[in-house]
Amino acid sequence: FFIVTTMVLPPSTILDEVAATYVNIIFYAISYQLQLPVEPFLVRSLIHTHSIDTKNNIRNDFDDESQRTNQTYGRLTSLFSLIQTVGSPIVGTLLDWIGPRKTSILVYGASALGYWM
């Protein structure tokens, strides 16, 4: 692919595309690293809002809440890793079969659906 691209596009265009790709990867990595410290607090807030017992009193057990937060965060992190492990080869196969443009549309559409849910 790279040899065909060098014949069609001038070298400066290829360097611009490579630079744009690296900048995009750097922005993704920075935003991913910035969200990691916040995730346990988000999980705790979600658990806290849903931990109302039958008498509509909010439970105040810190140990129980901390344990549930740790377990839920661990499960969410494991699920994310599992989905990436399974999804990466599927997206790679789709790239080969239907091409990068249609695969990107499919992946972004699935992401939008996930955000909507």
Side-chain angles (χ1 to χ4, degrees):
F1 177 74
F2 185 74
I3 295 171
V4 173
T5 306
T6 55
M7 290 181 198
V8 176
L9 298 173
S12 63
T13 306
I14 294 171
L15 292 177
D16 292 342
E17 290 177 2
V18 170
T21 302
Y22 278 116
V23 168
N24 191 15
I25 291 170
I26 289 169
F27 282 146
Y28 173 78
I30 289 172
S31 64
Y32 182 73
Q33 293 298 322
L34 287 174
Q35 81 180 16
L36 283 177
V38 179
E39 287 175 354
F41 299 104
L42 293 174
V43 171
R44 181 179 296 150
S45 70
L46 289 172
I47 290 173
H48 186 66
T49 58
H50 295 321
S51 66
I52 299 175
D53 62 9
T54 56
K55 297 178 185 179
N56 292 329
N57 295 325
I58 297 175
R59 297 180 194 168
N60 290 325
D61 297 333
F62 180 75
D63 293 335
D64 184 40
E65 182 179 346
S66 177
Q67 182 179 3
R68 285 185 296 144
T69 300
N70 292 338
Q71 288 176 348
T72 304
Y73 183 65
R75 289 179 183 142
L76 286 173
T77 304
S78 298
L79 179 65
F80 179 77
S81 298
L82 177 70
I83 290 173
Q84 270 193 321
T85 302
V86 171
S88 294
I90 292 171
V91 171
T93 304
L94 286 173
L95 281 167
D96 292 338
W97 281 357
I98 63 175
R101 181 171 289 170
K102 291 179 182 177
T103 302
S104 295
I105 292 170
L106 185 66
V107 168
Y108 287 128
S111 293
L113 183 64
Y115 289 127
W116 179 72
M117 293 170 48

